[in-house]
Structure formats: structure tokens, C-alpha cells
Amino acid sequence: MGRPEKVMQMNNKAIKLGIIGTSAITDKFLTAVNFSKRFVLTAVYSRTYEKGRAFAEKYGQIPVYTDFNDMLKSGIEAIYIASPNSCHFEQSRFFLENRINVLCEKPIVTNLSQYKELKKLADKNGVIYMEAIMSMYSPYYDILHNAIKKIGKISFARIDFCQRSSRLDDFYKGIPQNIFDMKLHAGTLMDLGVYCVYGAVDLFGKPEKISAEANYFKNGCDCSGTSVFYYDDFTAVLTYSKNGQSMLHSEIIGENGAVTVESVSQYAGIKLYVDKKEQFSYPVPERKEIMSGEVNAFADFVEKNNLNLYDDRSAVCRIVHSCMDKIKIDAKICYD
């Protein structure tokens, strides 16, 4: 990725945004923020000032904080949280208690009870509490849903996100990696698997039954897994892995055709086939275009627009995390 654009000051009505987390995903998110022009970055939080300063300088002279109470004084109206999974609940609760709108990276919490508690708190304080899920706000969301309507009664579905981690080799060398640290509530299900569960719940609804299995690294972190979602008259098989790269795509098969999806995390790379003939194809766009969907939706919700969509996606989020809890139990995924 090239050098990020300077801080977004183009819109006088832009929402004042703070961020927690200085990893690559935050850079990608801020690229989408620049693209959308709905927010202005006004505060960066890091556990160490030096690391926060190095990150913030890429975007201009942005104030850096190492204390949340000090960060509140900056006047932020919204916060983007991209810290380790184990931090999401407490950090989100702090800002929701202080009436700050929260967009938290997936997984928004580590269990359903946490989500229920924080959603109730957000509603009580009149602020937004939203999970950052690209697929749910993709520009291709309606295209995918409409394509599935054209293939007739669904007979089977495969939802796949198997992507070899760029950090796997270092992990094998014994170099600690947060994404493989179960003390941080990490692992494959809590990363790539979330997108698969979202895909199944969003496209087909809440399953009647779930069964799940997982494979593990030597440190106890789940490296891959399979979940089967049982519906009335078909099953959806979810596969996710961080130690192997799939060359196949997700596929929804119906009596009259099929829909393939190259990226279930972005709802992109969609192809529709009817009677074995390709009807249309939509490529995978730039990431900033995909991520700007969730950025714009968050801005709309904060500004109290399109709240029916907010309620709909919140309901999906609740079901997703109830399914995630069931998968963890069935696959015996444990956190330190």
C-alpha cells in the first residue's frame, strides 16, 4: 500500500473520529475513511506513545493518547476499535458508557452475552454499537441476494474462507503472533470464520442445528475448522483455515443454477449461472471501495439515518454470535 493520504479535513460536517489500534487493518480502514470523506481523524490511541506517534504522523499532526479519559477530552464523537479481540468488550463498554459511537472490528465481542450487554447499553445511551463487517455493507450486497433468488430452491451451499496467513511462517519459527494467541481470544474461527458465519446467517437465516469440528496448532489455537448449518431442506458447510490456501470459491447451489462468490468477506467476485450458462460476473473491487460501505453506513447510523438497516444488521449480529458460541462448544475451542 502506498503512503496514506493526509488527515481528512475536506468536510466541515465530518464526524470526529478516534481510533484504537495501529495495525495494518487500521491503515486500510483509514484509507476507506479518506475515500468516504464522512469522518475526520482527531485522535489516536496506543498503549505506547512512540508507537502511536509513528502511526499518527502518516495522517498529519494527529494527537496521540495513552489514556482513554484523556482521549475523551479530544471531543471525539465516534471510535473505531481494532485492538486484540480480548480487549473489545472492555474498550467498547468504556466508550459506550461515555456516549461515544462505537465501530468495533470483528469479532465485536467474544460471546453473545457480551454483545447483549453492550447493545443494551448503547441503546440506553442513544449511541451506535456496530460490528465492522465488510460483507454486510458491500456495494454488491443486493446483487448477491438477488442472484440467489434466480437459482431456484437451494439444495446445498459451501461457504469457504481458507487463506494461508502471512504470519504463519514466523509463527512456526516461534515468533509470537497475536492472531494465534488464545490468551487474546484469537484463532481462525474468531477471524476468518466470522465471515463464513455471517454469510450463512445473512443469506439463509438462523440454522435449526449446528455441528462443528476444529483442528489445532500445538499451542492450542484452532488453525482450521468446519461447521455444518442445518436448514429445513438443505445444509450449508462452512470451511475456514489460516494454515492453507483454498483455490475454490464459495458456492450456493440451487435447482436451476448456482452462484459463486470469490470473497465471502467482501461479497465480491460474484458469478451467476443458470442452466450451466454464466449470466453475469462482478469482479472484486479495490478494498477501499468495499470498506467504505461500512464506513458510510456507520456515518449514516451516527447521524440517525437509515436506522432500519442498523436494526436489521444488529439482529443478524446477534444471531451470528449465538452461532459462534455453539461452534466453540461443539468444536471444543477454548481460550486461556
Side-chain angles (χ1 to χ4, degrees):
M1 184 174 70
R3 184 174 178 81
E5 299 173 29
K6 289 293 184 179
V7 63
M8 331 60 167
Q9 297 280 8
M10 303 170 187
N11 183 351
N12 291 331
K13 296 182 180 179
I15 300 162
K16 295 178 182 178
L17 176 72
I19 61 165
I20 299 173
T22 55
S23 64
I25 188 62
T26 309
D27 270 323
K28 292 174 182 176
F29 174 78
L30 290 176
T31 299
V33 168
N34 273 320
F35 185 69
S36 74
K37 301 179 177 63
R38 301 287 298 277
F39 293 87
V40 57
L41 180 61
T42 57
V44 170
Y45 171 87
S46 179
R47 287 177 296 174
T48 64
Y49 180 83
E50 293 74 18
K51 188 174 181 180
R53 181 77 270 152
F55 181 90
E57 285 179 353
K58 295 184 292 185
Y59 296 93
Q61 297 301 312
I62 311 302
V64 175
Y65 300 89
T66 57
D67 183 277
F68 287 150
N69 287 296
D70 291 339
M71 192 180 191
L72 281 176
K73 298 173 185 177
S74 70
I76 59 171
E77 301 165 280
I79 189 86
Y80 169 71
I81 298 175
S83 54
N85 298 343
S86 58
C87 300
H88 289 181
F89 176 71
E90 292 295 342
Q91 291 175 351
S92 295
R93 182 167 63 180
F94 175 86
F95 286 98
L96 292 173
E97 285 176 341
N98 285 280
R99 291 178 167 79
I100 303 298
N101 299 281
V102 171
L103 175 63
C104 185
E105 264 302 332
K106 52 80 187 163
I108 192 169
V109 285
T110 57
N111 59 63
L112 178 60
S113 64
Q114 290 180 345
Y115 178 73
K116 288 180 177 178
E117 178 181 337
L118 294 188
K119 182 62 167 59
K120 183 178 180 180
L121 175 61
D123 292 346
K124 175 185 175 183
N125 286 344
V127 290
I128 299 301
Y129 178 48
M130 171 181 159
E131 187 165 25
I133 292 288
M134 293 181 290
S135 56
M136 295 298 96
Y137 306 95
S138 167
Y140 298 106
Y141 182 91
D142 289 336
I143 290 171
L144 177 57
H145 278 259
N146 290 332
I148 291 173
K149 294 176 182 178
K150 299 180 185 298
I151 62 175
K153 184 179 179 181
I154 297 172
S155 59
F156 186 73
R158 291 182 293 102
I159 301 180
D160 177 85
F161 199 170
C162 293
Q163 178 176 281
R164 191 182 193 277
S165 172
S166 61
R167 301 176 189 176
L168 187 63
D169 291 333
D170 283 343
F171 174 69
Y172 284 152
K173 293 175 185 176
I175 302 172
Q177 303 294 322
N178 285 352
I179 61 170
F180 299 125
D181 188 346
M182 297 305 272
K183 292 179 181 178
L184 300 178
H185 290 206
T188 300
L189 174 65
M190 297 291 274
D191 185 4
L192 308 186
V194 176
Y195 287 114
C196 295
V197 177
Y198 256 100
V201 171
D202 174 55
L203 296 174
F204 314 126
K206 184 177 181 179
E208 294 184 350
K209 185 176 70 169
I210 294 174
S211 62
E213 296 285 347
N215 302 300
Y216 299 89
F217 292 118
K218 291 181 180 179
N219 72 337
C221 173
D222 59 312
C223 58
S224 63
T226 301
S227 298
V228 182
F229 282 28
Y230 298 87
Y231 294 92
D232 279 340
D233 46 10
F234 74 95
T235 56
V237 177
L238 285 56
T239 50
Y240 30 91
S241 171
K242 292 182 76 70
N243 66 337
Q245 181 70 48
S246 172
M247 302 308 294
L248 299 177
H249 300 155
S250 298
E251 183 176 27
I252 299 96
I253 303 168
E255 291 182 342
N256 302 322
V259 176
T260 62
V261 185
E262 182 177 342
S263 173
V264 70
S265 66
Q266 301 178 40
Y267 275 8
I270 301 167
K271 291 185 178 181
L272 168 64
Y273 299 86
V274 175
D275 295 330
K276 300 182 182 180
K277 295 179 180 179
E278 184 178 310
Q279 304 297 306
F280 64 67
S281 175
Y282 288 87
V284 177
E286 289 188 49
R287 191 182 184 96
K288 67 179 181 181
E289 180 183 343
I290 290 291
M291 290 191 77
S292 66
E294 67 186 41
V295 171
N296 287 328
F298 185 46
D300 284 343
F301 300 157
V302 170
E303 294 171 349
K304 307 305 180 187
N305 298 319
N306 210 1
L307 291 182
N308 286 336
L309 180 64
Y310 173 64
D311 291 339
D312 176 83
R313 298 301 189 266
S314 297
V316 172
C317 181
R318 185 184 181 108
I319 297 171
V320 163
H321 287 283
S322 70
C323 293
M324 293 283 288
D325 283 357
K326 177 63 172 66
I327 292 170
K328 292 171 204 169
I329 293 170
D330 216 40
K332 299 179 177 59
I333 297 174
C334 300
Y335 302 104
D336 296 339

